[in-house]
Amino acid sequence: MVLLARPRILLSSRRTLLQVAQRYKSAQTEAHLHHIHSKVSNVLGAVYPAEKLGLSEVNENVLKAKYAVRGAIPMLAAELNAKLKKDPHSLPFDNIVSANIGNPQHLKQKPLTFYRQVLSLLQYPGLLEENEQVLIDSKLYQKDAIARARRLLNDIGSSVGAYSTSQGIQGIRETVAQFITERDGGEKAYAEDIFLTAGASSAVSYLLSILCKGQETGVLIPIPQYPLYTASLALNNSHPLPYYLDEKSGWSTNPTEIEDVVNNAIEQNIKPSVLVVINPGNPTGAVLSEEDISQIFAIAAKYGIVVIADEVYQENVFDGAEFHSMKKILRKLQKSNPGVFDNVQLASLHSTSKGVSGECGQRGGYMEITGFNNDIRQVILKLASISLCPVVTGQALVDLMVSPPKPGDESYELDQQERKSIHEALAERAGKLHATFNSLEGIECQKPEGAMYLFPRLLLPFKAIQSAEHEGMTPDAFYCKKLLEATGICTVPGSGFGQEPGTYHLRTTFLAPGTEWIERWENFHKAFYEEYRD
């Protein structure tokens, strides 16, 4: 069947055509439709229309990929939210708490004022040309925000609505290089090693697309891990090589176990090509020590393994913990061990989605590559070129993230106040949730050192495990479903991130404002245990 644009006619039969022609009372229309029907009939003949595409005809690697953060529990949460909108009194709660994903501004975290002042001027530069003094006099914009917008517009060269170079705007990459140099105690970073990206996820996609060669490739990933990595490996038809983090010691790494994983892969004719490190940890909230990182590089140097350092939570570190960038530790190792670590290849990732920025929807990020030869650099650039360029306003946000207002700038005091407020609120809720979990029967939770998540262990009663099996669910998914249905709190089962066999966990953010939802959770858990007590 063919659909005409004007008039909108479904060509299903000669009779339909004649009826339409009569309706339009036009001999010319009738003749035209007769002509079209004749042409269509010649093509179709007596053959029935072909069937629609089915799952058996699509890329099977796409079907294998899973992403628990937006999986079955969040989908149920969306259904319940729609139900609440139709009838606010239909459920035993009045809102959904989206604790399943690190999406700060969705959970009422306010954008930083300096960021949005600059971005608004980038979107509407006419304000600068026509009304700059009015903007200053009205106190709607600070002078340093106006100056930053002018500098960025000069770096961008035309408009945020135009494509940039595929590697990202040169001036912004220079700002990132300066930030890394200062962060790492003077260890020099270079703009040509920086690729601006649409968040950290696109950098992961570039790297794994290049480094994975199908079934012969293995990628070491921490367990528990962020599901982006297993999903990306499924798309690239390559092997995940899990190395387990030690929960009892605060989710630390075990170098002996990592090396065992490498050697076992080699024995199975799988090349361990990449080792992923998430620091601070997602979903664990752990921060790796300098010793942990050094041991990882020792393995990478010994076996020629590329290291991907997912460091998007480097701003989210709480009192008592210290973030060490992997680039800084690598440079220290190279200086103290001449020749041993010279060939280590490191890709470090950062994002505007986390930290105190929380600009998830704006898709800004960067990747710094260290130790790669120029041939590989050109392949990365080719992949970036296929996407043309990262979002230009996202690139601008990277500049703002790595170079916030400095002491003496007009925006400095307000910016510091906003950052401190966000950080303190996150730390307070993390502490409250951690203390609540450890006060309850059947939950064990490591103290969070960073990131935005807790990954508590559920010591579920056997009766609850049986009930889960009866419903065809994993026990942790069963708990998360019951929690959602009773309280509106949406979390992600630990099985979506990976966990030691025989253990059950869940991941929750602590981004939701207030503590009332934590009290809801506490009451649910007590009732759950009473219902399923052995």
Side-chain angles (χ1 to χ4, degrees), residues 498-512:
Q499 53 197 345
E500 287 272 10
T503 67
Y504 308 110
H505 299 77
L506 62 79
R507 189 192 79 164
T508 178
T509 73
F510 39 79
L511 291 168

Side-chain angles (χ1 to χ4, degrees), residues 42-62:
N42 288 338
V43 173
L44 290 177
V47 179
Y48 289 102
E51 293 183 0
K52 292 182 178 180
L53 187 69
L55 290 180
S56 63
E57 298 168 283
V58 302
N59 186 340
E60 62 181 14
N61 295 322
V62 175

Side-chain angles (χ1 to χ4, degrees), residues 285-300:
V287 178
L288 294 181
S289 68
E290 185 172 344
E291 181 182 356
D292 289 333
I293 295 171
S294 298
Q295 291 171 336
I296 287 169
F297 278 131
I299 294 169

Side-chain angles (χ1 to χ4, degrees), residues 29 33 144 151 158 177 209 244 250 281 311 323 410 434 487 528:
T29 301
L33 293 175
D144 57 336
R151 194 267 284 169
S158 51
S209 295
Y244 287 91
E311 298 177 331
F323 168 75
E410 293 86 347
H434 171 254
T487 66
F528 180 90

Side-chain angles (χ1 to χ4, degrees), residues 134-323:
V134 174
L135 298 178
I136 296 171
D137 293 343
S138 67
K139 301 188 184 303
L140 288 173
Y141 290 82
Q142 297 293 341
K143 290 182 180 179
D144 57 336
I146 292 172
R148 179 67 66 90
R150 285 197 179 281
R151 194 267 284 169
L152 284 169
L153 285 169
N154 183 65
D155 288 343
I156 291 166
S158 51
S159 164
V160 294
Y163 292 130
S164 75
T165 57
S166 297
Q167 190 168 344
I169 294 161
Q170 176 71 22
I172 297 175
R173 289 190 285 116
E174 290 172 357
T175 305
V176 173
Q178 181 180 351
F179 158 75
I180 294 171
T181 300
E182 293 172 357
R183 181 199 66 187
D184 293 347
E187 294 292 346
K188 183 69 175 174
Y190 301 91
E192 57 264 32
D193 293 333
I194 309 297
F195 287 76
L196 300 179
T197 59
S201 300
S202 64
V204 172
S205 177
Y206 293 159
L207 291 167
L208 294 184
S209 295
I210 293 167
L211 300 172
C212 291
K213 297 179 66 178
Q215 287 290 301
E216 67 185 78
T217 303
V219 175
L220 286 91
I221 56 173
I223 296 298
Q225 55 92 37
Y226 181 49
L228 167 67
Y229 293 97
T230 47
S232 298
L233 291 175
L235 292 174
N236 286 286
N237 194 29
S238 294
H239 292 279
L241 303 175
Y243 65 92
Y244 287 91
L245 304 177
D246 184 8
E247 183 170 8
K248 292 181 180 178
S249 62
W251 299 110
S252 63
T253 56
N254 183 332
T256 301
E257 182 190 337
I258 293 175
E259 191 162 14
D260 287 343
V261 172
V262 170
N263 287 319
N264 289 337
I266 293 171
E267 289 174 6
Q268 298 173 47
N269 295 317
I270 297 170
K271 182 182 179 183
S273 300
V274 183
L275 193 158
V276 174
V277 179
I278 307 175
N279 180 45
N282 176 8
T284 64
V287 178
L288 294 181
S289 68
E290 185 172 344
E291 181 182 356
D292 289 333
I293 295 171
S294 298
Q295 291 171 336
I296 287 169
F297 278 131
I299 294 169
K302 181 177 180 180
Y303 294 95
I305 300 173
V306 174
V307 178
I308 297 177
D310 184 333
E311 298 177 331
V312 302
Y313 294 99
Q314 60 187 265
E315 274 190 89
N316 300 110
V317 177
F318 305 129
D319 292 342
E322 182 181 1
F323 168 75

Side-chain angles (χ1 to χ4, degrees), residues 354-376:
K354 312 304 177 187
V356 294
S357 304
E359 296 282 3
C360 300
Q362 308 259 21
R363 309 315 298 140
Y366 75 75
M367 168 175 63
E368 182 189 23
I369 58 173
T370 303
F372 288 85
N373 65 39
N374 192 57
D375 290 343
I376 301 300

